Amino acid sequence: MSIEAWFGDITTLDVDAIVNAANRSLLGGGGVDGSIHRAAGPGLREECRLLGGCDTGDAKLTRGHRLRARWVVHTVGPVWSGGGRGEDAALASCYRRSLEVASGAGARSIAFPAISTGAFGFPELRAARIAVETLSRADPSPWDRILLVGFDRAAYERYRGLLPEA
């Protein structure tokens, strides 16, 4: 299993699954959530409507619709409240559950955005450390490739700095 940093737009990736940093309704929003919904087309929203939302720290699966990725794993990260309300554990759960849901569908490659760091306000370096630590501890057998996607150069560099040299 390789964990790699990747710079760019997650909606363009040719991987089995991309992860959506969603809100609890799963019906679209801003940031990466809005980008994924726009790129996937209206069928994604219709499929999400049938899922009945998602709890913080959990994940649910849909088809990729017009994306290159076959699946979208929707996960709801925690809203940052200063770190004393279980935010770290909830964020780690997002990464674990996303892997479980995607591998259950047969995915061998997956791409993650920086979950909870946008509108949810999670400190970016802290979130990147949790992502790298959680994914590094995952069972490597189902995975050929795991990407941590930085939409901006700073996020990409954070991931690169935390990952071991390849």
Side-chain angles (χ1 to χ4, degrees), residues 58-108:
D58 202 1
K60 294 190 176 181
L61 186 76
T62 63
R63 291 173 293 122
H65 296 271
R66 295 190 318 214
L67 297 166
R68 293 176 77 185
R70 185 170 176 191
W71 297 288
V72 178
V73 178
H74 306 267
T75 191
V76 180
V79 174
W80 181 253
S81 299
R85 296 188 177 178
E87 294 99 315
D88 289 1
L91 185 59
S93 179
C94 288
Y95 287 93
R96 282 192 306 274
R97 287 291 298 137
S98 294
L99 290 176
E100 290 168 5
V101 167
S103 68
R108 307 269 315 151

Side-chain angles (χ1 to χ4, degrees), residues 19-40:
V19 176
N20 180 18
N23 60 49
R24 293 175 62 107
S25 76
L26 303 182
L27 299 179
V32 71
D33 189 15
S35 295
I36 289 171
H37 273 268
R38 281 189 299 278

Side-chain angles (χ1 to χ4, degrees), residues 44-147:
L44 181 62
R45 183 178 170 93
E46 292 308 311
E47 188 176 356
C48 284
R49 192 180 308 281
L50 302 175
L51 297 177
C54 185
D55 292 331
T56 299
D58 202 1
K60 294 190 176 181
L61 186 76
T62 63
R63 291 173 293 122
H65 296 271
R66 295 190 318 214
L67 297 166
R68 293 176 77 185
R70 185 170 176 191
W71 297 288
V72 178
V73 178
H74 306 267
T75 191
V76 180
V79 174
W80 181 253
S81 299
R85 296 188 177 178
E87 294 99 315
D88 289 1
L91 185 59
S93 179
C94 288
Y95 287 93
R96 282 192 306 274
R97 287 291 298 137
S98 294
L99 290 176
E100 290 168 5
V101 167
S103 68
R108 307 269 315 151
S109 58
I110 189 168
F112 288 88
I115 299 167
S116 281
T117 61
F120 287 8
F122 209 104
E124 294 169 345
L125 182 57
R126 186 173 182 146
R129 284 186 178 129
I130 291 167
V132 170
E133 290 169 9
T134 304
L135 295 173
S136 295
R137 284 190 234 120
D139 176 7
S141 63
W143 302 106
D144 295 330
R145 190 172 187 212
I146 297 175
L147 299 177

